[in-house]
DNA sequence: TGTTTAGATGAAGGAACCTTCAGCTTTGGA
DNA sequence: TCCAAAGCTGAAGGTTCCTTCATCTAAACA
């Protein structure tokens, strides 16, 4: 059973004039900013509205409740990452498996690291009952797309592309998370990225029948 | 700056009689149960007390506030996992690197899978401002201990043990998380565990100067 | 058995905060 | 220019829930 009915989570009003589009955008941006600065526990709708430079009433014209607001913020973030992954999956179709791995790592890591604070703050939303479903769906979608990419690899796969995608994405998630909760993610980025390449390459090699000369 | 002063988070009263020890235990267990059944959002101190079969007042004699209660629950869980890791680190000192990897995977996965619902429910606590510090500390501690283990490997390491430990633990975390948020973790356990072994073995091989005959 | 200390109770205070709505302002087109 | 629709406002209602404390019961001990 879902936490709230679907009806309750739909936007209350769809922006038609230009200014309201700006408003909705400002609210979503403000939500992230508040999330980053005070955390999910102390985030209030009034605070978000203030930060966005509008009144609470305005916020509630576009988001039926607090949960919907947070979910929308999370979706927006996830969408950004998904777009990066999708681009890679289109661009590297039929390439070699190792090339795909490298490209995925770059895309995923740089999308997450683009705004470290934001990515880190959203973990608290994605771990909640409401956010969990969104995170899971995004994960499943990413896995599916990457599995399809792997299926086109120039070398033949010795394993189910689904499971290969699962492992690669799990490793990506694990390392990203570790990176995001570091004191200084920027400092650790280079070495961890390098090592992640080694980890994934090593694994992908075991998924190929005939080893290429690398 | 921490969310709450250290003073505020210390237990209010330390159990001296046997019955109060039982009470504290019941409260902590109840907290987990409530967390599992209604989620962090809807967990209330009254609900936890009811579930534990005591009154709210009693709860507040041992936990200064709700946050402290959740933190204590998280610590308890983390401690269980840490103990498993520690045991491995003592037992496999000076063994071969690959053996260490296999043992770590088994210990970590089985500790997390011991109670799937509990592990999954606690993610919401560990992503919060309060829980984050605990989770980070536990992660750092685990990494340190595992790095020390790796440093004793019978084969020589070509890399800093710290970074090797970091990568292995990140992979473990990533896969565990994926497992815990699956619809049916039990069903996926075997294949994912198997594949995790492949992933980690492949990586550890790159950390050894001379490859052993496996 | 009497006294002291530990443990337990739960109604009630009170703060925090989500959400509404009646009314006001701005925009865009007729 | 004028009006209907879109957009905005923010004080106040209402809930939820954390936390306290005066009071009661059980245990330890002399």
């Amino acid at each position: 059973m879902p936490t709230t009915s679907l009806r309750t989570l739909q936007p209350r009003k769809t922006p038609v004039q230009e200014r309201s589009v700006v408003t909705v955008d400002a609210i979503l941006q403000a939500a992230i900013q508040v999330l980053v600065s005070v955390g999910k526990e102390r985030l209030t709708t009034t605070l978000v509205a203030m930060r966005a430079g509008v009144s609470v009433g305005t916020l509630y014209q576009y988001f039926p409740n607090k949960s919907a607001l947070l979910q929308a913020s999370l979706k927006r973030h996830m969408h950004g990452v998904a777009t990066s992954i999708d681009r890679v999956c289109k661009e590297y179709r039929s390439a070699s498996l190792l090339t795909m791995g490298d490209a995925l790592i770059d895309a995923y890591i740089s999308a997450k690291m683009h705004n470290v604070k934001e990515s880190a703050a959203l973990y608290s939303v994605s771990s909640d009952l409401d956010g969990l479903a969104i995170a899971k769906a995004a994960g499943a979608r990413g896995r599916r797309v990457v599995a399809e990419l792997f299926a086109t690899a120039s070398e033949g796969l010795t394993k189910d592309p689904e499971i290969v995608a699962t492992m690669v994405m799990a490793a990506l998630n694990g390392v990203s998370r570790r990176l995001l909760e570091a004191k200084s993610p920027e400092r650790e980025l280079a070495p961890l990225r390098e090592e992640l390449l080694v980890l994934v390459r090593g694994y992908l090699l075991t998924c190929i029948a005939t080893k290429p000369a690398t």
Side-chain angles (χ1 to χ4, degrees), chain A:
Chain A
M1 52 199 136
T3 308
T4 3
S5 83
L6 269 180
R7 188 55 186 274
T8 317
L9 293 175
Q10 297 310 312
R12 187 161 290 184
K13 176 191 283 190
T14 313
V16 330
Q17 295 178 12
E18 183 57 25
R19 60 173 171 159
S20 62
V21 175
V22 173
T23 298
V24 170
D25 205 73
I27 292 172
L28 284 172
Q29 246 181 275
I32 300 276
Q33 287 173 2
V34 172
L35 207 55
V36 167
S37 62
V38 308
K40 210 199 83 167
E41 298 309 276
R42 285 194 287 276
L43 175 147
T44 70
T45 49
T46 312
L47 216 53
V48 171
M50 273 182 58
R51 184 91 192 208
V54 299
S55 76
V56 232
T58 300
L59 187 157
Y60 276 90
Q61 285 203 318
Y62 302 102
F63 302 95
N65 51 51
K66 186 182 163 182
S67 176
L69 170 65
L70 290 176
Q71 289 187 48
S73 303
L74 181 60
K75 272 185 182 156
R76 193 189 235 208
H77 175 80
M78 296 296 213
H79 188 260
V81 179
T83 301
S84 290
I85 297 288
D86 286 354
R87 189 178 305 121
V88 165
C89 290
K90 272 185 188 121
E91 194 171 341
Y92 287 84
R93 189 158 280 271
S94 305
S96 89
L97 203 56
L98 292 191
T99 311
M100 290 173 176
D102 289 5
L104 280 174
I105 290 172
D106 266 351
Y108 192 89
I109 294 281
S110 62
K112 282 280 182 195
M113 295 291 292
H114 177 253
N115 191 334
V116 173
K117 295 278 185 191
E118 172 177 326
S119 299
L122 279 168
Y123 274 131
S124 63
V125 179
S126 69
S127 296
D128 253 316
L129 226 50
D130 298 326
L132 203 57
I134 295 173
K136 274 165 130 175
R141 187 183 164 290
R143 228 172 293 134
R144 206 187 55 236
V145 176
V146 169
E148 277 167 16
L149 172 70
F150 284 164
T152 73
S154 57
E155 310 97 338
L157 282 192
T158 60
K159 295 172 190 169
D160 180 11
E162 275 287 345
I163 213 168
V164 180
T166 298
M167 294 307 293
V168 171
M169 295 310 277
L172 271 175
N173 274 316
V175 175
S176 299
R177 179 124 204 181
R178 162 70 181 71
L179 207 42
L180 287 171
E181 54 186 38
K183 274 157 295 181
S184 168
E186 293 78 10
R187 200 167 301 159
E188 307 215 38
L189 172 58
L192 283 187
R193 199 192 75 98
E194 198 57 44
E195 210 58 17
L196 181 57
L197 287 170
V198 174
L199 175 73
V200 170
R201 280 181 193 146
Y203 173 69
L204 289 179
L205 278 178
T206 71
C207 307
I208 304 175
T210 56
K211 294 188 183 180
T214 310

